[in-house]
Amino acid sequence: MGTDNNRPRGLSAEPVLVTGLGATTPLGGDVASTWSAMLAGDGGIRSIEADWADGLPVRIAGQLAVEPSEVLDRVQARRLDRCEQIALIAAREAWADAGAPEVDGDRLAVVIGTGTGGALTMLGQDDVLEASGVRKVSPHTVPMLMANGPAAWVSIELGARAGAHTTVSACASGAEAIALGLDLIRLGRADVVVAGGAEACICPLTMAGFAQARAHSLRNDEPGRASRPFDADRDGFVIGEGAAVVVLERAGFAAARRARAHAALAGAAVTSDARHITAAAAEGQVRAMRRAVTEAGLSPLDIELVHAHATSTPLGDLVEAESVTEAVGAHPLVTATKSMTGHLFGAAGALGALAAVLALRDGAVPPTRNLERQDPAVKLDVVAGAARRGPLGAALTNAFGFGGHNASLVFTAAS
């Protein structure tokens, strides 16, 4: 492996460990059930049964396996937007998994990314206003719709006073949140950071908008086969919802409390294309991957696994495949778990990070579901059919978003 001589000046060289994991996804209501389903190649995409989907061109989505109302108390379920609810659920699991660290609140920060925040509340309360007038609008509307709500509620829950930050960079939001968490620790501003992403925006407007943009798969009659990253017959992504959160700790702090580490967050990079609002650019993706690997003190040959952004769009998957090949080579194993969950937008990068951490911890790479005929233009070793097992030392995970946002994270196996 390489050295850390290329680490930016001013940042601590002390390792940053991942000590806690939490999630609620279309595959399961927690990390264990989600991970088990991923390794089995299960599908979490199904038809939308709600009446509002009737008549829409798209009627499939990666819907939560466990409703938040089954987990939260009645008051929280009523006063929090769905995005806030699932962020809190995932954060609670991650915090418990980390052993509920005893940390001064002034040294504890929260970073939760989201693409749309409380979109369901905003659209729902606008309908109430139009139909019934101002007196029927909920007094909790603003705290429910604001994009910083998930981070704020998690910070209140944990007593985090070193900052409650929100990254809003479309589908790169969750990964960028984790990258910011790494920076906060390396800059000495926190000892522990709870970081991740949350998204809940399955509704008529988003479904219709993506369908009109011809970005969403139209396989309404076979939802389980709709999301097919890198497959020659892919026809678009499938919208999903969920949250994933990790607990990051300064290694010295974790060692002092004898915390268990799932993996280490060794490097991160965020770039922007400054080119086009929706079209992916290979150059920006390559820069993000190369910078993350360099910051981790590794060489491209050290990367053994890539968790691809791979949304299942005809152009996007091809651009990323070319970018991965240029940035790190064609040697790593590649997995694309959106084939099972759908695209969680602002939570996607955080869920990808969680999957990469678990792959390193357990020596198991989830298969890419529905990869029946790999696009011949994709020159990568994409895992398909069954999980690939064996020890892994380093993993790269990507998240790219509308607006030209690129975020890459590098994790290494816990020593």
Side-chain angles (χ1 to χ4, degrees):
M1 292 190 178
T3 69
D4 64 357
N5 292 335
N6 292 309
R7 190 183 308 283
R9 292 181 179 179
L11 294 182
S12 169
E14 184 177 357
V16 173
L17 305 179
V18 180
T19 59
L21 302 171
T24 181
T25 75
L27 294 175
D30 55 19
V31 170
S33 56
T34 295
W35 182 234
S36 176
M38 277 187 178
L39 290 178
D42 292 343
I45 296 169
R46 60 186 189 277
S47 299
I48 299 172
E49 301 298 336
D51 292 342
W52 58 257
D54 294 345
L56 288 176
V58 175
R59 299 181 298 280
I60 57 175
Q63 301 161 83
L64 288 175
V66 177
E67 278 296 309
S69 59
E70 297 179 23
V71 180
L72 300 173
D73 65 46
R74 186 172 57 85
V75 173
Q76 287 178 319
R78 187 176 73 251
R79 295 186 178 181
L80 273 65
D81 179 81
R82 189 176 181 86
C83 184
E84 297 170 336
Q85 293 173 4
I86 59 179
L88 193 58
I89 289 169
R92 284 176 175 173
E93 183 187 11
W95 192 249
D97 183 50
E102 292 186 8
V103 56
D104 184 342
D106 290 339
R107 302 292 300 166
L108 172 63
V110 170
V111 192
I112 304 294
T114 184
T116 62
L120 296 183
T121 292
M122 179 177 288
L123 294 170
Q125 290 301 306
D126 184 64
D127 288 343
V128 171
L129 177 63
E130 293 293 329
S132 304
V134 65
R135 292 184 179 277
K136 294 297 183 179
V137 172
S138 169
H140 303 292
T141 296
V142 174
M144 292 173 69
L145 66 82
M146 61 191 193
N148 62 305
W153 280 112
V154 173
S155 73
I156 292 169
E157 171 92 0
L158 301 178
R161 301 191 299 269
H165 307 273
T166 302
T167 50
V168 181
S169 46
C171 308
S173 301
E176 189 168 341
I178 294 172
L180 178 55
L182 177 65
D183 287 347
L184 291 173
I185 292 175
R186 285 183 169 170
L187 287 168
R189 294 176 180 169
D191 292 317
V192 181
V193 178
V194 177
E199 200 76 89
C201 60
I202 299 175
C203 63
L205 183 60
T206 54
M207 303 288 283
F210 282 120
Q212 287 296 97
R214 298 183 179 179
H216 203 291
S217 172
L218 298 177
R219 295 175 185 264
N220 291 309
D221 295 332
E222 44 183 4
R225 300 182 68 239
S227 182
R228 41 199 321 112
F230 299 126
D231 189 80
D233 296 322
R234 63 192 184 277
D235 71 328
F237 68 76
V238 177
I239 189 172
E241 61 180 354
V245 172
V246 301
V247 176
L248 305 175
E249 290 191 43
R250 181 172 57 81
F253 185 89
R257 68 181 193 89
R258 299 180 180 179
R260 168 211 56 196
H262 295 290
L265 176 55
V270 175
T271 68
S272 54
D273 298 336
R275 180 181 173 184
H276 192 279
I277 198 67
T278 57
E283 186 271 338
Q285 296 179 7
V286 170
R287 280 191 293 117
M289 285 182 264
R290 284 179 172 168
R291 288 182 183 180
V293 171
T294 297
E295 186 183 293
L298 304 178
S299 75
L301 289 176
D302 293 321
I303 302 300
E304 298 171 87
L305 169 66
V306 173
H307 184 286
H309 180 65
T311 63
S312 185
T313 60
L315 180 60
D317 286 11
L318 189 56
V319 170
E320 184 179 11
E322 294 172 348
S323 299
V324 169
T325 303
E326 181 178 348
V328 298
H331 65 277
L333 300 178
V334 176
T335 186
T337 60
K338 290 183 181 68
S339 58
M340 295 175 262
T341 65
H343 190 0
L344 273 59
F345 299 157
L351 184 57
L354 186 145
V357 167
L358 290 169
L360 290 171
R361 187 194 71 182
D362 295 348
V365 179
T368 300
R369 184 179 170 88
N370 298 321
L371 187 59
E372 299 167 356
R373 186 167 62 94
Q374 184 166 320
D375 188 329
V378 175
K379 310 298 185 182
L380 297 171
D381 185 4
V382 185
V383 178
R388 201 89 59 89
R389 298 183 183 273
L392 298 165
L396 168 74
T397 180
N398 289 327
F400 310 128
F402 280 3
H405 302 281
N406 310 299
S408 294
L409 309 171
V410 172
F411 297 92
T412 55
S415 57

